[in-house]
Amino acid sequence: MVKLKNNTAPFYFCLVILGLFFNAVSAQDLEKFKTADPLQATGNVGWNQIFYNTNRATPARQAQTWVFNGNVNFKFFDIINAPFSFNYSNLGNQFTQPNFNQSSLHPSYKWIALHLGTISQSWGSYTVNGHVFRGAGLELTPGKWNIALFYGRFQKANQPDTNAVSLATATYKRMGKGIRIGFAGNKTQISGQLFHAADEIHSIHIPAYSNITPMQNICAGMQLQQQISKQFRGNADIGISRLTADSRVANTTSQNTALKLGLQYAIRFLQISAGYEKVDPNYRTLGAYYFNNDLQNITAGLGLQLWKGKLNVNGTFGKQHDNLDSKKQSQMTRTVGSANVNFQPSTKFGINAGYNNFLSYTNLRPFTDYQNTNNPYLAWDTLNFRQIAENMQLGTHISLVSDTVKSFTLNLNGTRQLNIEQTGEKKSTGNAFYNFSMGLSYLKLKSGLSISAAANAGQMNIGTILVQNISPVFSISKPFYKKQIQTQFSISKTLSYANQKSSGNVLNLRCGARYTYHKKHNFSLNIQYLNRKDSPITNPYAHPLNVSDITVFLSYNLAGELLRLGRR
């Protein structure tokens, strides 16, 4: 029997793709090779240059930065599409050639699409979800079917530095592959996927005392969306993951599940929704960077549309808790409720209000809880901690003048946030934040002149400390030369106070211009000046801080048809 090596997988993967491509080419497509342009490139390519100067002892960024990026689609003979994206910069100070680790190619033909380079897949919440890998993927969408598969490197091998205090930067080489099959009907959309990833044990040489281990994972998932009736719709997302924590050791494999269910009911003016989610405490896959696990959620929502859609009322409620396996010493419970009202009786006036309340409490179990005793004195070892976060918001906009020549608008917004902590019967004063903003904007339609002025005031109570901020803002913009040149200028200053004494201020000046040539070439220049002064009250033992930054942004962008090679 012939035994295939692991490194032959990409070769056979490419053979399958080529076979599918040549099988899909029709006689009509072959005729296009005789008449269509051999190559056409469309998209955008941009160059960005940033210059920075400061009097800070430690600069906030490099003195000079440049970025060259683009998204280009190459079309061959009006049949094959090959999108290509790239990003090249000097931010790493190590690049001497284009960084193709940040590039990808996506050729497609009819219902066949190929993905090459540094890519990612998002198949479900509990399987493969946004993890970037370097490899290849194939997607087939014939009719109502959707079939996808991929193979690539999810993690690069990094040899450990044995001279370092920590070996945390060491990683095994991790290869992964997956397949998904989906069907989208008129009332039913369903898909299932299978994913496998494994670390190569011999890809790095790591000391025996290290806690970095080679892992292996296989997981399966299913998503379903079903139109039950004209008013009812349901959805489900299920994941099962079998994870091996150390491939070198037996009995280190665990299996966990995740489940999310939803139901929606909708008629002309009413929407009702309910949801349930449960994720096992140790649920994890190697197809995603991070998972929220050890949780159970129950949610409900209500929406109303009245007065021909001019009045909208929405409300949600949810409850969540952890410690599903009762192995933690404490349990966290969260309750969230929110309501929002939006009233828009006309185009000249609108008002919106919102409220949400977040309540969480933690119960710390005594170490003798497992004895199930009725001794009342053991309750002294139990900690009851509550945290309340309450937010309220109210805003309105009024169109003072609105005609075919000009418009004049007033905006008002207010926000209140309150945080309270309580341990047992003891309740803290908490923190309160208030913010109010007012803005006026004027627009002259024919000339494009836009002027706006705004003011923002905020106050925060942190225990016995009172922090206040006042921020006036003014901006103006005006186009010139048949609106091919756009100019803008803005100035703002933030004044800060602590216990009614000045603690500093920040001045921000910005100006810029953008020029468009033949609708394809865009040049822009923006300059920003920032000055920050801190009074000694912020740090009585330090000298007053006075720093200034000047940043210049220069960019060029080419968009549209970039290249065309026609027939003679």
Side-chain angles (χ1 to χ4, degrees):
M1 179 183 293
V2 179
K3 198 171 184 179
L4 298 178
K5 298 181 179 179
N6 291 334
N7 56 11
T8 61
F11 172 75
Y12 289 101
F13 186 76
C14 294
L15 287 181
V16 173
I17 294 171
L18 291 174
L20 288 170
F21 170 74
F22 287 111
N23 185 57
V25 175
S26 63
Q28 181 181 0
D29 297 325
L30 293 176
E31 289 295 325
K32 291 185 178 180
F33 281 94
K34 302 177 182 179
T35 58
D37 294 330
L39 174 63
Q40 181 183 7
T42 58
N44 64 83
V45 177
W47 176 274
N48 299 275
Q49 186 83 39
I50 303 174
F51 301 94
Y52 174 74
N53 186 41
T54 183
N55 64 350
R56 299 173 186 259
T58 303
R61 65 191 308 166
Q62 294 181 181
Q64 186 178 153
T65 305
W66 54 266
V67 179
F68 180 48
N69 53 23
N71 294 280
V72 182
N73 180 63
F74 296 95
K75 195 168 189 177
F76 300 92
F77 296 98
D78 202 26
I79 299 177
I80 302 174
N81 290 291
F84 175 72
S85 62
F86 61 91
N87 185 31
Y88 178 38
S89 174
N90 71 330
L91 293 176
N93 290 326
Q94 300 293 332
F95 303 152
T96 57
Q97 59 182 1
N99 180 17
F100 288 105
N101 289 329
Q102 300 297 323
S103 63
S104 60
L105 185 64
H106 307 271
S108 64
Y109 171 75
K110 288 188 175 180
W111 45 266
I112 302 175
L114 180 63
H115 310 283
L116 300 170
T118 304
I119 55 180
S120 66
Q121 298 286 335
S122 295
W123 287 356
S125 303
Y126 306 121
T127 52
V128 181
N129 190 11
H131 199 299
V132 176
F133 64 93
R134 185 168 176 83
L138 176 66
E139 189 172 5
L140 309 174
T141 55
K144 296 181 179 181
W145 291 91
N146 186 301
I147 303 171
L149 54 109
F150 69 82
Y151 177 84
R153 186 189 70 197
F154 276 63
Q155 188 171 271
K156 183 180 179 181
N158 289 314
Q159 295 292 340
D161 184 2
T162 55
N163 296 322
V165 177
S166 173
L167 303 179
T169 57
T171 55
Y172 286 91
K173 180 182 179 181
R174 180 175 297 165
M175 302 300 294
K177 52 185 175 291
I179 182 171
R180 181 191 67 182
I181 300 177
F183 175 82
N186 296 329
K187 294 185 177 182
T188 303
Q189 294 86 41
I190 186 171
S191 66
Q193 59 266 169
L194 187 66
F195 169 72
H196 176 264
D199 294 340
E200 296 184 3
I201 298 177
H202 302 293
S203 58
I204 62 174
H205 304 284
I206 197 163
Y209 61 83
S210 173
N211 58 359
I212 298 175
T213 61
M215 306 176 71
Q216 185 172 339
N217 175 229
I218 182 169
C219 66
M222 185 196 74
Q223 292 78 41
L224 171 66
Q225 293 186 11
Q226 178 66 46
Q227 190 72 42
I228 303 172
S229 66
K230 188 176 181 180
Q231 293 82 20
F232 281 98
R233 184 176 183 85
N235 60 274
D237 192 351
I238 304 172
I240 301 175
S241 176
R242 188 174 178 86
L243 181 68
T244 301
D246 191 341
S247 304
R248 304 165 300 182
V249 182
N251 300 324
T252 61
T253 301
S254 62
Q255 181 172 307
N256 295 278
T257 60
L259 170 69
K260 182 189 291 185
L261 303 175
L263 184 65
Q264 300 87 36
Y265 172 79
I267 56 177
R268 187 171 55 89
F269 64 91
L270 174 66
Q271 299 88 37
I272 301 175
S273 63
Y276 175 78
E277 181 180 18
K278 182 182 178 182
V279 184
D280 284 348
N282 296 311
Y283 189 89
R284 180 189 174 191
T285 79
L286 300 182
Y289 292 105
Y290 179 77
F291 276 98
N292 283 320
N293 52 29
D294 190 16
L295 60 88
Q296 179 175 278
N297 284 332
I298 299 176
T299 59
L302 174 67
L304 289 172
Q305 288 187 347
L306 305 174
W307 203 2
K308 297 182 179 180
K310 295 179 179 180
L311 177 61
N312 292 273
V313 181
N314 296 282
T316 60
F317 174 81
K319 192 169 186 178
Q320 178 189 110
H321 74 88
D322 63 356
N323 198 22
L324 301 186
D325 55 4
S326 300
K327 292 183 178 180
K328 291 182 179 179
Q329 194 171 353
S330 64
Q331 176 174 301
M332 171 72 77
T333 303
R334 302 180 179 92
T335 303
V336 180
S338 66
N340 184 270
V341 179
N342 187 287
F343 182 47
Q344 185 81 34
S346 68
T347 58
K348 294 186 177 182
F349 173 75
I351 186 171
N352 63 84
Y355 172 83
N356 67 77
N357 184 286
F358 178 89
L359 169 65
S360 66
Y361 54 91
T362 303
N363 295 321
L364 180 62
R365 299 163 53 201
F367 69 94
T368 53
D369 186 52
Y370 69 92
Q371 296 176 353
N372 195 24
T373 178
N374 293 323
N375 189 340
Y377 295 101
L378 292 178
W380 293 351
D381 294 327
T382 302
L383 172 66
N384 296 316
F385 176 78
R386 294 163 60 91
Q387 184 179 30
I388 301 173
E390 186 180 71
N391 300 321
M392 300 178 65
Q393 177 269 332
L394 179 66
T396 182
H397 69 273
I398 305 172
S399 180
L400 303 175
V401 178
S402 180
D403 52 37
T404 58
V405 179
K406 59 185 177 299
S407 66
F408 193 35
T409 307
L410 170 66
N411 291 277
L412 300 171
N413 288 279
T415 304
R416 174 183 177 268
Q417 298 179 0
L418 180 65
N419 295 285
I420 300 175
E421 296 179 355
Q422 180 178 350
T423 303
E425 299 298 327
K426 184 179 180 180
K427 187 174 181 180
S428 69
T429 56
N431 304 326
F433 174 75
Y434 303 88
N435 186 79
F436 176 77
S437 63
M438 178 180 67
L440 291 167
S441 60
Y442 171 80
L443 174 62
K444 200 170 182 179
L445 300 178
K446 185 176 181 179
S447 64
L449 173 66
S450 176
I451 302 174
S452 64
N456 185 82
Q459 176 176 300
M460 181 182 296
N461 300 91
I462 307 175
T464 59
I465 302 176
L466 176 64
V467 179
Q468 296 172 311
N469 293 286
I470 301 175
S471 303
V473 182
F474 174 80
S475 65
I476 182 172
S477 64
K478 177 73 168 65
F480 297 95
Y481 193 54
K482 298 180 181 180
K483 297 186 178 182
Q484 292 185 6
I485 300 177
Q486 297 282 343
T487 60
Q488 60 180 359
F489 171 81
S490 67
I491 180 172
S492 66
K493 189 166 187 177
T494 302
L495 306 174
S496 302
Y497 301 88
N499 289 336
Q500 299 182 351
K501 293 182 180 180
S502 176
S503 60
N505 62 80
V506 177
L507 175 66
N508 198 326
L509 293 171
R510 297 187 181 188
C511 63
R514 185 179 76 250
Y515 173 61
T516 302
Y517 179 71
H518 284 304
K519 298 182 180 181
K520 294 174 57 176
H521 306 271
N522 293 278
F523 304 86
S524 67
L525 172 65
N526 292 279
I527 303 173
Q528 176 180 330
Y529 171 76
L530 178 69
N531 177 260
R532 176 182 174 184
K533 296 179 181 179
D534 286 349
S535 300
I537 190 174
T538 306
N539 185 356
Y541 303 99
H543 294 288
L545 180 66
N546 189 346
V547 298
S548 297
D549 298 340
I550 298 178
T551 311
V552 179
F553 302 88
L554 183 64
S555 67
Y556 166 74
N557 184 268
L558 174 62
E561 185 178 77
L562 309 178
L563 175 68
R564 179 186 290 270
L565 297 179
R567 296 179 180 274
R568 294 182 178 178

